[in-house]
């Protein structure tokens, strides 16, 4: 009876047909009750050898994984019948004398109060359809989705793109796709994404040995390690030689189509790691750190919660931005709006020369190197994450450190719209279109609000954020006045942006709280969408330019 979770088929719960779900739930209930009864009978056996004790421990571990999965379904499944039946099965097991798990923490994000995030079961019809699509595709409604749902139009585009990359026809086999996702997320020590894709990798038949370390994966995937490393941390260093090395590796060679698929996956998961840390995404309920089998303490949280950063909700609402008063943060919003107004007036009156614009770009590029995260020490990756990549000491470094000079990447020489898009679409059909749509939605998304103000044109602010990120990557737009960035983005906001984009594993709640203090959480999530799409586009531009140079 020491079977693992694999004998249970969860797929039936993703069906739109309630009868199929009901049959699947009944099968799951019977398996779990059989395991429970077996464990109870073993407990009652008076004499047990050490071998029997070990068998019992393995059986209990297998059952606990099933119960954790059921707990996730009871809280996160968009189908009401699945939520209710999962809860019923958990209670039945508890009544038989077996400990059942409970969630740790307070919702999908450590930064955003749970009460401000849409609760599963209270969504409208349109949102329910989106949740059902996500659940049907992945077998879960993950915390990233529940935070992105502040912006349904973007979420729909994101889910469509991710589904195509991971599950639809494409150059790479399914298990390769998830393994590349693991490699990419691991570069930023994002155990949240690594854990999700380890499960997905095994689910699609991936070899468990590969998970012991990159050196156990096929040489072809190992060869991708260098591109993964440079793309994640210093994409301006990518050359056509990197591309040639992958395409001409004899029996381990990548085809151009496979390489484009891999590059898109790497950039997607580097950026998604930025979103995960930038929004303080909590571990999934059924994953490590998302649940506990310990009973709650009297004050409703135990010491294990505290060490995981899962303090009481009320306690977490203490202003960590240095006790800034409401009036001060209100003044910040007013000052930002006034600057936007003045800049618009200056734009209307005069236009800077090309030489002046180029000079302002260089000034902003140099200044961006002086912005450090407030927590700038190295973060040592955990072994369970670091085994998925090589050269753990390699990380982000500004491109002009140590006297090194990198030529400015001028967008009019190679841009996404005219060059990158067509290359991706030619080698991996339809993906260019999906990514392009996602870029446009993130860049143009607006509700014409800023904090408590309505009917505000935020395009100037959105462009400043996008162009600041590209500036940090050495990418310049000739038609943009980089002097606007210093006017619109204050120091604490720049620290947050640079940390999320370049070293996301160092993001803290204090950083999240300290910028735009009067803005809603939905607006801060919107900022993160801009950050991850601008980052993804910057990485893609460098990689695709190198591929184009190799091809020509």
């Amino acid at each position: 009876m020491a079977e693992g979770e694999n004998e249970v088929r969860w797929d039936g719960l993703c069906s739109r047909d309630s009868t199929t779900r009901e049959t699947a739930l009944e099968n799951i209930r019977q398996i779990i009750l059989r395991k429970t009864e077996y464990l109870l009978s073993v407990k009652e056996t008076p004499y047990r050898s050490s071998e029997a004790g070990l068998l019992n421990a393995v059986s209990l571990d297998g059952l606990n994984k099933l119960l954790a999965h059921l707990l996730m379904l009871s809280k996160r499944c968009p189908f009401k019948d699945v939520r209710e039946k999962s809860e019923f099965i958990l209670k039945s097991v508890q009544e038989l004398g077996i400990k059942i798990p409970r969630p740790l923490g307070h919702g999908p994000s450590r930064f955003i109060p749970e009460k401000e995030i849409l609760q599963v079961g209270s969504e409208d019809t349109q949102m329910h359809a989106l949740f059902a699509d996500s659940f049907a595709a992945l077998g879960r409604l993950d915390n990233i989705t529940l935070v992105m749902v502040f912006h349904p139009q973007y979420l729909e585009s994101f889910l469509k793109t991710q589904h195509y990359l991971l599950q639809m026809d494409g150059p790479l086999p399914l298990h390769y796709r998830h393994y590349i996702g693991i490699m990419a997320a691991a570069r930023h020590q994002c155990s949240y994404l690594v854990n999700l894709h380890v499960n997905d990798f095994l689910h699609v038949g991936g070899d468990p040995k590969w998970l012991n370390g990159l050196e156990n994966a096929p040489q072809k995937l190992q060869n991708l390690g260098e591109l993964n490393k440079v793309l994640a941390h210093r994409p301006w260093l990518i050359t056509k030689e990197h591309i040639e090395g992958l395409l001409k590796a004899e029996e381990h060679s990548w085809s151009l189509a496979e390489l484009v698929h891999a590059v898109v996956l790497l950039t997607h998961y580097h950026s998604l790691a930025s979103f995960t840390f930038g929004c303080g995404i909590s571990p999934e309920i059924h994953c490590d750190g998302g649940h506990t089998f310990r009973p709650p303490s009297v004050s409703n949280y135990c010491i294990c919660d505290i060490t995981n950063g899962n303090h009481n909700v009320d306690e977490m609402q203490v202003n960590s931005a240095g006790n800034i008063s409401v009036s001060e943060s209100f003044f910040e919003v007013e000052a930002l709006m006034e600057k936007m107004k003045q800049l618009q007036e200056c734009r209307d009156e005069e236009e800077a020369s090309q030489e002046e614009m180029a000079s302002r770009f260089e000034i902003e590029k140099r200044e961006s190197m002086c912005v450090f995260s407030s927590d700038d020490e190295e973060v040592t990756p955990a072994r369970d994450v670091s085994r998925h990549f090589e050269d753990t000491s390699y990380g982000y470094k500004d491109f002009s450190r140590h006297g090194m000079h990198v030529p400015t990447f001028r967008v009019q020489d190679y841009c996404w719209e005219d060059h990158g898009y067509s290359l991706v679409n030619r080698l991996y059909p339809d993906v260019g279109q999906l990514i392009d749509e996602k870029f446009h939605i993130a860049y143009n998304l607006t509700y014409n609000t800023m904090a408590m103000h309505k009917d505000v044109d935020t395009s100037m602010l959105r462009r400043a954020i996008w162009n600041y990120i590209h500036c940090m990557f050495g990418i310049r737009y000739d038609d943009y006045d980089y002097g606007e960035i210093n006017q619109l983005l204050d120091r604490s906001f720049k620290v947050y942006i640079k940390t999320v984009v370049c070293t996301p594993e160092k993001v803290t709640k204090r950083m999240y709280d300290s910028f735009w203090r009067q803005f809603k959480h939905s607006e801060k999530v919107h900022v993160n969408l801009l950050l991850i799409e601008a980052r993804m586009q910057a990485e893609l531009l460098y990689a695709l330019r190198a591929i184009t140079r190799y091809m020509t």
Side-chain angles (χ1 to χ4, degrees):
M1 280 301 291
E3 305 106 334
E5 194 184 3
N6 295 339
E7 66 168 304
V8 175
R9 302 297 304 169
W10 303 100
D11 305 12
L13 304 182
C14 302
S15 172
R16 307 294 180 123
D17 176 53
S18 59
T19 310
T20 305
R21 295 198 301 269
E22 190 179 342
T23 305
L25 281 162
E26 181 53 30
N27 287 338
I28 290 165
R29 187 186 74 83
Q30 288 178 12
I31 290 168
I32 286 177
L33 284 180
R34 275 205 309 275
K35 284 179 171 289
T36 303
E37 285 161 5
Y38 167 76
L39 277 168
L40 290 171
S41 68
V42 169
K43 268 186 185 176
E44 288 164 11
T45 307
Y47 168 74
R48 277 188 291 166
S49 65
S50 58
E51 190 181 332
L54 182 63
L55 196 64
N56 187 30
V58 171
S59 295
L60 182 59
D61 184 57
L63 177 62
N64 283 347
K65 283 180 178 167
L66 295 176
L67 296 178
H69 202 111
L70 273 181
L71 177 68
M72 178 272 286
L73 292 171
S74 74
K75 305 287 183 188
R76 295 282 192 265
C77 183
F79 303 118
K80 189 180 178 185
D81 56 334
V82 175
R83 289 198 305 274
E84 289 177 349
K85 187 67 181 273
S86 298
E87 197 171 332
F88 171 76
I89 297 170
L90 284 168
K91 282 181 178 164
S92 305
V93 170
Q94 188 178 34
E95 282 165 9
L96 289 170
I98 297 284
K99 280 184 186 173
I100 63 166
R102 62 182 180 84
L104 269 177
H106 297 282
S109 164
R110 291 178 292 108
F111 298 171
I112 305 169
E114 188 173 12
K115 64 179 184 293
E116 296 196 29
I117 292 175
L118 181 66
Q119 301 297 303
V120 179
S122 60
E123 69 272 15
D124 61 24
T125 311
Q126 184 190 357
M127 207 66 76
H128 179 75
L130 203 53
F131 280 176
D133 285 345
S134 177
F135 191 82
L138 297 169
R140 60 177 181 265
L141 197 56
D142 58 41
N143 289 339
I144 285 176
T145 299
L146 291 171
V147 172
M148 278 186 183
V149 87
F150 277 118
H151 305 285
Q153 187 192 0
Y154 174 86
L155 175 61
E156 188 171 3
S157 175
F158 172 85
L159 290 174
K160 203 163 49 172
T161 306
Q162 184 167 264
H163 177 63
Y164 196 93
L165 286 174
L166 292 176
Q167 291 168 297
M168 301 296 281
D169 286 346
L172 293 174
L174 298 184
H175 63 301
Y176 265 52
R177 303 180 197 194
H178 290 293
Y179 196 81
I180 291 167
I182 292 166
M183 288 172 66
R187 276 274 26 141
H188 283 307
Q189 299 149 50
C190 187
S191 53
Y192 171 87
L193 288 172
V194 169
N195 287 339
L196 285 185
H197 285 280
V198 161
N199 290 336
D200 292 339
F201 171 77
L202 294 171
H203 183 69
V204 297
D207 184 345
K209 290 196 197 77
W210 298 9
L211 300 175
N212 293 331
L214 185 58
E215 67 278 5
N216 297 290
Q219 188 61 47
K220 185 172 174 174
L221 281 167
Q222 290 184 46
N223 292 350
L224 197 63
E226 180 71 14
L227 184 68
N228 179 28
K229 175 178 86 172
V230 181
L231 201 53
H233 305 299
R234 306 172 203 174
W236 48 87
L237 297 181
I238 290 172
T239 63
K240 68 177 184 181
E241 284 72 32
H242 285 108
I243 305 306
E244 188 173 19
L246 290 163
L247 298 174
K248 293 188 172 177
E250 296 173 350
E251 73 268 29
H252 307 301
S253 293
W254 292 75
S255 71
L256 267 173
E258 287 175 331
L259 186 57
V260 166
H261 193 170
V263 161
V264 173
L265 281 166
L266 290 172
T267 58
H268 176 81
Y269 281 102
H270 295 156
S271 302
L272 202 51
S274 284
F275 186 85
T276 301
F277 287 114
C279 291
I281 301 295
S282 303
E284 293 299 324
I285 289 173
H286 62 301
C287 292
D288 287 348
H291 62 273
T292 180
F293 284 84
R294 295 185 187 181
S297 65
V298 179
S299 62
N300 206 32
Y301 66 98
C302 64
I303 197 71
C304 55
D305 289 353
I306 299 171
T307 55
N308 279 315
N310 300 317
H311 310 340
N312 208 333
V313 175
D314 299 331
E315 200 181 325
M316 287 179 75
Q317 299 317 304
V318 175
N319 189 343
S320 60
N323 297 319
I324 301 294
S325 69
V326 172
S327 60
E328 276 183 86
S329 51
F330 173 80
F331 176 72
E332 281 181 346
V333 181
E334 300 300 313
L336 180 54
M337 293 202 47
E338 183 57 34
K339 280 177 188 168
M340 286 166 64
K341 185 181 166 193
Q342 287 169 2
L343 284 170
Q344 188 58 55
E345 287 167 359
C346 291
R347 262 189 199 173
D348 296 340
E349 285 170 19
E350 58 173 317
E351 196 172 304
S353 67
Q354 279 300 311
E355 293 77 14
E356 180 61 22
M357 299 268 255
S359 168
R360 288 174 188 176
F361 170 79
E362 291 302 327
I363 290 167
E364 190 54 53
K365 192 169 82 167
R366 279 198 304 275
E367 284 192 5
S368 78
M369 291 174 217
C370 301
V371 174
F372 303 103
S373 72
S374 58
D375 203 357
D376 213 29
E377 76 277 358
E378 290 300 313
V379 178
T380 308
R383 165 66 189 149
D384 65 328
V385 171
S386 66
R387 63 175 175 233
H388 299 299
F389 64 93
E390 298 164 317
D391 195 359
T392 55
S393 63
Y394 190 94
Y396 173 80
K397 289 278 186 294
D398 290 317
F399 40 71
S400 291
R401 291 262 179 98
H402 314 301
M404 193 173 89
H405 177 71
V406 175
T408 294
F409 186 128
R410 296 171 76 240
V411 165
Q412 67 270 32
D413 296 338
Y414 195 96
C415 69
W416 166 255
E417 289 79 7
D418 298 338
H419 307 94
Y421 168 81
S422 55
L423 178 63
V424 171
N425 245 19
R426 190 163 83 246
L427 293 169
Y428 185 10
D430 298 331
V431 164
Q433 180 68 43
L434 288 166
I435 295 170
D436 188 59
E437 179 188 286
K438 189 160 60 76
F439 286 157
H440 277 286
I441 289 172
Y443 188 87
N444 296 311
L445 187 66
T446 183
Y447 306 94
N448 300 111
T449 60
M450 267 179 64
M452 68 295 291
H453 296 279
K454 294 180 178 173
D455 302 317
V456 184
D457 179 359
T458 61
S459 55
M460 182 185 287
L461 187 55
R462 283 180 277 122
R463 190 174 185 194
I465 294 167
W466 188 279
N467 287 2
Y468 178 60
I469 292 156
H470 280 197
C471 178
M472 290 190 306
F473 283 89
I475 298 171
R476 181 186 162 214
Y477 295 82
D478 277 0
D479 63 345
Y480 183 68
D481 180 357
Y482 286 85
E484 291 186 5
I485 288 173
N486 265 344
Q487 296 288 314
L488 298 175
L489 313 183
D490 65 23
R491 181 83 182 170
S492 62
F493 191 18
K494 282 183 170 182
V495 167
Y496 178 78
I497 291 174
K498 186 168 184 179
T499 309
V500 169
V501 171
C502 302
T503 52
E505 58 278 7
K506 294 181 181 178
V507 175
T508 63
K509 186 172 188 297
R510 181 173 281 108
M511 285 180 197
Y512 176 89
D513 288 339
S514 68
F515 83 91
W516 284 10
R517 285 162 290 212
Q518 274 292 298
F519 284 72
K520 302 184 192 85
H521 288 290
S522 61
E523 291 172 309
K524 292 194 172 194
V525 172
H526 185 181
V527 165
N528 275 284
L529 300 182
L530 278 169
L531 303 192
I532 67 171
E533 294 302 338
R535 176 189 177 166
M536 182 174 178
Q537 191 178 94
E539 284 190 29
L540 276 176
L541 283 173
Y542 278 110
L544 296 173
R545 184 180 68 168
I547 291 172
T548 301
R549 284 177 173 174
Y550 166 80
M551 290 167 70
T552 52

